[in-house]
Amino acid sequence: VLALAGTLSTSAFVFPVLKERRWEERDSGKAATTILLLQDLFVAPLLVIAAIVAWLIFRSPVGVLIPLTVIFVTSALLLGFMALMGIAIRPMTSLLPPLMFVVGIADSIHVLVELQVLRRAKPELPATEVAVEAFMRILPPCTLTSLTTSIGFGSLMFSDIEPVREFGLFAALGTILAFLVTFAVVPAMWLLAPIDAGAATRAPRAEGLARLSLKHALPASILLLVIGVLSATQLRNISFNTDYVGFFKEDSTIRRA
């Protein structure tokens, strides 16, 4: 997981360029290196969390490997498209790999759970028929969620700020890529290395929470509404700060650079 994080990190692409141009010894190069490392701190924890979530759901190495494969392939394709189009890595676009982790693991786990549930419900069916039926069941909802998510990200393309427009474009493209990769990779890998049929049902605490929520639907809805309203009242207190250099002491080499 940590190796995958390093492969997909922004630094893995930028550091060779800094070394080639002999900037790594300059103050500006040191500042860029430090900022990139700070951004990359978000990558490894997300991958570790993704692996833990997949393990808790499926309790199988294959159940962990499949979502991580979707994440890796999606991020690699997206960064490849950016390179082909000549788009440079910027602070905004460097957030795309972590974003793809979230989108990719959501799609892949939805498909895997549907495969597992259907396999357990219809054990007499061959694995290929289970995969086809699960594919047809999960395709419409996943299509709608991916489409609406990509439209939401795509709305950022109307911004007057170029980095924001780039982020919106490639976030929308990455969402579609995650959808396509999920339905191309997950069923195939599931057929090649099936997961234990009972793995998707090993969540007694989650089932208990779901039953509790259904039993107390009205109080739960009211509580959620109250929390939402209280949270909305604090929106005006949000402050924006993208000055990474300000994290360092005033006398540090990075601040002086």
Side-chain angles (χ1 to χ4, degrees):
V1 173
L2 293 176
L4 180 59
T7 303
L8 296 179
S9 69
T10 308
S11 304
F13 299 94
V14 178
F15 284 168
V17 177
L18 293 176
K19 186 175 182 180
E20 179 184 350
R21 299 183 180 182
R22 297 180 180 178
W23 287 354
E24 71 272 18
E25 296 301 326
R26 301 182 185 178
D27 289 339
S28 57
K30 292 178 181 179
T33 299
T34 305
I35 293 172
L36 288 171
L37 289 174
L38 286 172
Q39 293 174 347
D40 289 345
L41 288 176
F42 293 99
V43 177
L46 282 175
L47 275 175
V48 172
I49 292 172
I52 291 174
V53 169
W55 176 262
L56 291 175
I57 294 175
F58 302 109
R59 302 298 174 91
S60 166
V62 177
V64 175
L65 177 63
I66 293 177
L68 292 183
T69 301
V70 171
I71 291 172
F72 174 77
V73 174
T74 301
S75 300
L77 286 174
L78 182 61
L79 293 174
F81 276 118
M82 291 178 62
L84 287 174
M85 296 177 66
I87 303 298
I89 296 291
R90 305 189 188 195
M92 282 292 294
T93 52
S94 68
L95 299 174
L96 288 170
L99 178 63
M100 291 305 102
F101 300 162
V102 178
V103 175
I105 196 171
D107 285 344
S108 58
I109 286 182
H110 284 159
V111 175
L112 273 178
V113 168
E114 185 66 27
L115 286 166
Q116 291 298 101
V117 169
L118 188 59
R119 182 187 179 192
R120 189 172 185 270
K122 300 182 178 181
E124 72 281 359
L125 289 182
T128 52
E129 293 186 20
V130 171
V132 171
E133 186 172 342
F135 187 99
M136 299 308 297
R137 282 188 182 185
I138 201 70
L139 182 61
C142 282
T143 301
L144 290 175
T145 55
S146 298
L147 183 61
T148 53
T149 302
S150 62
I151 291 173
F153 285 130
S155 65
L156 296 175
M157 288 188 288
F158 294 96
S159 171
D160 294 330
I161 305 173
E162 183 179 355
V164 175
R165 291 199 301 269
E166 290 180 356
F167 176 81
L169 171 63
F170 288 102
L173 176 61
T175 302
I176 299 301
L177 285 175
F179 169 78
L180 296 176
V181 170
T182 296
F183 281 91
V185 170
V186 173
M189 292 187 67
W190 182 82
L191 287 173
L192 292 174
I195 306 172
D196 176 20
T201 64
R202 296 174 182 168
R205 293 183 180 178
E207 292 177 4
L209 181 61
R211 292 193 186 97
L212 180 65
S213 178
L214 291 173
K215 184 178 180 180
H216 305 283
L218 182 59
S221 300
I222 294 175
L223 177 62
L224 181 63
L225 179 62
V226 170
I227 293 174
V229 171
L230 291 176
S231 300
T233 60
Q234 299 301 313
L235 289 176
R236 57 189 177 85
N237 296 325
I238 295 177
S239 60
F240 299 91
N241 183 6
T242 56
D243 182 16
Y244 294 106
V245 178
F247 295 151
F248 300 91
K249 297 180 179 179
E250 295 183 359
D251 58 347
S252 66
T253 306
I254 294 173
R255 286 287 292 270
R256 293 199 302 269

